[in-house]
């Protein structure tokens, strides 16, 4: 039987960040993932600078071999309506490819990797866990995304009574025709909201790659809305006419709307497994990375006592970082949704200070300095 100090199920940004921090403190960490890396992940691939800071990512080094598109402006509006350009004096975000970033972070973590290995069994044996009948460990991290098997093991009713965001996207390498007929600029992603403000569509250009997608609070009519969005972009001449049509979908939970248990004796959930994405923007990579780092700090402080009571500080950390449910429940009020959405989203002040600074860039919140 193999042993390790911590076993992490899932090698996405939450799992790899947790592994990276634990390895820096000398713990023996194994990551198992059902996929072989590099692997595709359904995502727009937009990260804020807070993610770069928390991961101590050397952008110059990373950018030499990977797509790293600095973003300093946005074009925003409402689907079918006018738009507003907002410019910042410097880089406020980056466009990345999940295919590349997740692989890079996982390899950088220094953990022992068992890839192409799904979690098949998880059995409690005293204070130990026996994973897949092969690995014994006192501490398991559930980092398997929305459908995480560890979350299910802890009682999550995945897909049953959970109000999930549903989103679809396509990312493709543009051919020469598409490249020259794409008006979206790399430094200026485009975001257009649905009229009911229950979702938005995006278009992000990263070098030769183009990512187009749409996400909504309710799955009803997503494909139809996505089609309308693509038609809108084509009519405006923003994207080439001949884009591929094999969009891929995924679901995930927003922070404060998920009722998943975050921890138990010898186990913690991080990232999408815990349902932590920002409610206003749907950004999930930052909470995934930050929760992975906070889980690692909690484990180090626990110094081998992985009882539920000792691990409770993890929940306190999440609460301190992401706020209470009431604080995060900042949905646009109904009157705004119905009558003023169009006008507000064409207003430069509102777009910059509320939509971008507050909802998308969280510019009032410092980057996480994980110890
Ligand atoms: C269409 C779309 C667009 C998005 N765009 C953005 C964006 O631009 N920016 C942003 O910040 N967020 C975005 N998000 C959200 C973001 O993708 C997630 O919040 C983020 O990936 C969560 O990271 P994670 O590590 O928790 O989970 P994941 O990235 O989902 O990683 C989970 C890992 O667990 C593995 N796994 C799953 N099941 C098992 C199993 N049974 N056994 C072993 N391993 C398993 C998977 O193979 C995977 O590698 C988007 C989401 C969607 C759906």
């Amino acid at each position: 039987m193999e042993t390790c100090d911590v076993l992490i199920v899932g090698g996405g940004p939450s799992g790899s960040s947790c592994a990276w921090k634990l390895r820096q403190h000398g713990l023996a960490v194994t990551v198992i993932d059902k996929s072989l890396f590099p692997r595709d992940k359904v995502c727009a691939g937009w990260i804020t600078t807070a993610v770069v800071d928390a991961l101590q990512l050397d952008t110059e080094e990373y950018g030499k071999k990977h797509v790293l598109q600095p973003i300093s402006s946005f074009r925003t509006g409402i689907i079918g309506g006018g738009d507003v350009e907002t410019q910042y004096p410097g880089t406020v975000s980056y466009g990345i490819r999940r295919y590349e970033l997740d692989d890079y972070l996982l390899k950088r973590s220094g953990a022992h990797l068992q890839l192409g290995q799904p979690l098949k069994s998880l059995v409690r044996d005293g204070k130990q866990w026996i994973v897949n009948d092969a690995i014994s460990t006192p501490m398991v991290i559930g980092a398997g995304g929305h459908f995480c098997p560890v979350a299910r093991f802890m009682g999550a009713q995945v897909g049953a009574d959970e109000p999930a965001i549903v989103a679809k996207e396509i990312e493709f390498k543009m051919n020469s025709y598409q490249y020259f007929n794409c008006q979206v600029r790399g430094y200026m992603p485009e975001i257009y909201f649905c009229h009911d403000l229950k979702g938005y569509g995006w278009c992000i250009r990263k070098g030769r790659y183009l990512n187009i997608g749409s996400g909504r609070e309710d799955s009803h009519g997503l494909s139809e809305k996505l089609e309308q969005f693509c038609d809108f972009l084509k009519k405006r001449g923003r994207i080439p006419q001949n884009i591929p049509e094999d969009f891929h979908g995924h679901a995930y939970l927003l922070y404060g709307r998920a009722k998943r248990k975050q921890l138990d004796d010898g186990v913690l959930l991080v990232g999408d497994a815990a349902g932590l994405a920002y409610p206003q923007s749907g950004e999930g990579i930052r909470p995934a990375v930050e929760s992975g780092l906070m889980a690692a700090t909690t484990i180090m402080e626990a110094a081998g006592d992985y009882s539920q009571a000792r691990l409770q500080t993890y929940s306190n950390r999440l609460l301190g970082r992401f706020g209470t449910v009431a604080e995060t429940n900042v949905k646009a009020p109904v009157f705004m949704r119905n009558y003023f959405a169009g006008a507000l989203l064409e207003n430069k002040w509102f777009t910059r200070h509320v939509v971008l600074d507050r909802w998308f860039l969280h510019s009032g919140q410092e980057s996480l300095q994980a110890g």
Side-chain angles (χ1 to χ4, degrees), residues 80-336:
D83 57 52
V84 169
E85 268 185 36
T86 306
Q87 281 154 13
Y88 289 87
T91 300
V92 288
S93 287
Y94 292 93
I96 51 86
R97 298 192 63 225
R98 292 293 299 273
Y99 184 80
E100 297 175 347
L101 182 71
D102 288 18
D103 185 52
Y104 174 87
L105 294 178
L106 190 55
K107 289 191 176 128
R108 184 188 74 157
S109 74
H112 174 57
L113 305 181
Q114 294 199 3
L115 304 178
Q117 306 277 337
L119 179 76
K120 291 188 208 123
S121 62
L122 185 61
V123 176
R124 195 74 171 141
D125 179 18
K127 290 195 169 174
Q128 294 289 114
W129 293 101
I130 308 297
V131 178
N132 288 356
D133 291 329
I135 311 168
S136 173
T137 180
M139 187 68 217
V140 167
I141 302 288
H146 181 62
F147 299 100
C148 181
V150 184
R152 288 177 198 269
F153 183 90
M154 290 168 71
Q157 302 290 311
V158 180
D161 60 347
E162 295 184 320
I165 285 284
V166 282
K168 279 187 166 186
E169 60 89 36
I170 190 165
E171 182 162 296
F172 61 98
K173 191 169 185 174
M174 291 182 278
N175 60 30
S176 300
Y177 171 82
Q178 291 163 336
Y179 186 81
F180 290 111
N181 285 281
C182 179
Q183 293 305 316
V184 177
R185 298 289 147 235
Y187 58 85
M188 190 191 299
E190 309 204 357
I191 303 168
Y192 299 92
F193 290 84
C194 302
H195 285 267
D196 60 8
L197 293 191
K198 285 187 176 177
Y200 64 88
W202 66 82
C203 189
I204 302 182
R205 182 176 186 158
K206 317 159 192 181
R208 278 209 89 105
Y209 290 87
L210 193 63
N211 187 303
I212 304 169
S214 175
R216 278 187 67 77
E217 278 177 32
D218 56 355
S219 58
H220 189 68
L222 176 64
S223 299
E224 196 188 319
K225 291 255 173 355
L226 183 57
E227 213 177 302
Q228 287 167 5
F229 176 55
C230 290
D231 285 347
F232 162 72
L233 290 176
K234 285 179 192 169
K235 274 194 198 121
R236 284 273 173 105
R238 307 306 304 158
I239 59 170
Q241 296 294 323
N242 64 340
I243 59 162
E245 286 176 0
D246 49 334
F247 284 80
H248 296 284
H250 198 60
Y252 60 114
L253 299 171
L254 300 178
Y255 180 76
R257 314 223 181 124
K259 293 193 195 104
R260 293 190 182 182
K261 205 171 172 181
Q262 292 162 343
L263 59 95
D264 208 333
D265 287 334
V267 58
L268 293 178
L269 296 183
V270 294
D272 277 5
L276 301 180
Y278 279 108
Q280 306 91 340
S281 61
E283 177 188 4
I285 300 173
R286 178 174 175 178
V289 166
E290 293 188 349
S291 61
L293 297 174
M294 288 190 276
T297 306
T298 305
I299 290 168
M300 268 125 40
E301 279 177 5
D305 173 4
Y306 300 136
S307 62
Q308 185 181 354
R310 190 78 166 97
L311 296 177
Q312 188 55 40
T313 50
Y314 174 63
S315 281
N316 302 341
R317 283 194 163 92
L318 291 181
L319 212 55
R321 186 71 184 159
F322 302 119
T324 63
V325 174
E327 280 163 354
T328 60
N329 201 5
V330 289
K331 276 189 196 175
V334 174
F335 76 87
M336 181 188 147

Side-chain angles (χ1 to χ4, degrees), residues 13-14 33-34 39 43-46 98 119 144 149 272 283-285:
S14 60
D33 197 296
K34 66 177 182 181
R39 56 105 178 86
C43 186
W46 165 6
R98 292 293 299 273
L119 179 76
D272 277 5
E283 177 188 4
I285 300 173

